[in-house]
Amino acid sequence: PWTTAEDLAKLVIAIQSAINKQDKAILNQELITEFITPQINQKGLGNNLKGIEKPKAFWHSGQNLGFTGLLYGLIEEGEGAIVLVNSEGGEILIQEFITSVANAYDWPVMKSYDALEISERLKSQLVGSYENSNQQKNFSIEQKNHKLMMKSASSKGSFQLYRIGENRYTFKDAQDYYKLVFKFKNEKVVSLMYNESIGKTIELKKLE
């Protein structure tokens, strides 16, 4: 027997019913709470999670000879999507489909964003070194070829910063994993709120 999209959709609905403590829920609520609680990195209990401040969605993918599948379920909104393709190389198509659904229904994750312009004045304000000695985190932001590049003291490479909101920045294709917000005082940047993974937020002071 093969799993169908309808079968997987019923599973997502059952999980969401337990999350929302509905009377008709057939799954153990305590178990499902663990299911959507980060255990390590971006993973729950047997599944993957997406979100920054907190888990916003759960997902799982699978692949077999000639087939690829993906299920997505939103934790609070009660929406989701199932995609099954008869190809072993369908990951890119599946991601495009999920992103289209996320954009159409305004999901909190998996949406695509247009990179907003960063003025030269704003770039000059953001450039500098940031540090949190307690967490042993150090970042530097510099401007290269009119782009803002961010580098960790513990890594060799640097990554371009993209502005996707009034005061929200991220890295390429990482809007669901990293969120950077700068704090200003008297038109000067005083610190950086660095959100990494689910619920992990670090404030780094800008060094003079």
Side-chain angles (χ1 to χ4, degrees):
W2 296 93
T3 300
T4 66
E6 183 180 358
D7 291 335
L8 293 174
K10 289 178 179 178
L11 173 60
V12 171
I13 292 171
I15 292 170
Q16 292 169 332
S17 296
I19 291 172
N20 296 309
K21 301 179 179 179
Q22 297 179 4
D23 294 336
K24 64 180 181 180
I26 60 174
L27 298 177
N28 182 278
Q29 293 179 353
E30 184 177 347
L31 178 62
I32 294 302
T33 298
E34 287 295 310
F35 179 82
I36 59 170
T37 299
Q39 309 293 327
I40 183 170
N41 297 331
Q42 297 277 1
K43 297 185 181 297
L45 192 63
N47 71 109
N48 300 285
L49 301 173
K50 243 188 200 318
I52 299 178
E53 286 89 355
K54 62 179 182 178
K56 293 287 189 178
F58 58 89
W59 65 277
H60 201 285
S61 61
Q63 191 176 60
N64 207 337
L65 185 62
F67 300 94
T68 304
L70 177 72
L71 68 79
Y72 249 96
L74 300 188
I75 291 174
E76 297 177 357
E77 290 78 3
E79 299 176 356
I82 312 297
V83 188
L84 303 177
V85 296
N86 58 343
S87 168
E88 295 175 43
E91 293 90 348
I92 295 177
L93 175 63
I94 288 175
Q95 289 297 325
E96 287 292 328
F97 178 83
I98 293 293
T99 297
S100 297
V101 173
N103 287 334
Y105 290 92
D106 194 26
W107 283 7
V109 293
M110 287 305 297
K111 289 189 297 185
S112 60
Y113 290 86
D114 293 325
L116 304 177
E117 181 182 357
I118 307 175
S119 68
E120 293 300 320
R121 180 173 180 271
L122 181 54
K123 289 177 185 176
S124 65
Q125 290 175 310
L126 303 183
V127 165
S129 298
Y130 299 81
E131 179 184 70
N132 183 312
S133 56
N134 294 330
Q135 298 285 339
Q136 296 183 335
K137 281 280 189 181
N138 295 274
F139 294 113
S140 62
I141 297 177
E142 57 183 4
Q143 189 173 173
K144 288 185 177 180
N145 299 322
H146 304 290
K147 299 176 182 178
L148 281 181
M149 308 298 294
M150 183 171 173
K151 180 180 179 182
S152 169
S154 59
S155 66
K156 295 181 179 180
S158 58
F159 300 89
Q160 184 177 352
L161 278 180
Y162 293 88
R163 186 168 75 95
I164 59 174
E166 182 63 29
N167 185 17
R168 180 179 176 182
Y169 299 79
T170 189
F171 308 111
K172 185 177 181 180
D173 298 328
Q175 63 269 18
D176 293 331
Y177 297 103
Y178 296 93
K179 177 182 176 183
L180 291 81
V181 175
F182 295 89
K183 285 188 175 182
F184 287 80
K185 184 177 181 180
N186 298 327
E187 296 189 353
K188 290 185 178 181
V189 177
V190 293
S191 66
L192 162 64
M193 300 300 296
Y194 179 76
N195 296 271
E196 176 185 43
S197 298
I198 296 175
K200 184 179 179 182
T201 302
I202 302 173
E203 183 171 8
L204 298 97
K205 181 181 179 182
K206 186 178 183 185
L207 305 178
E208 296 296 335

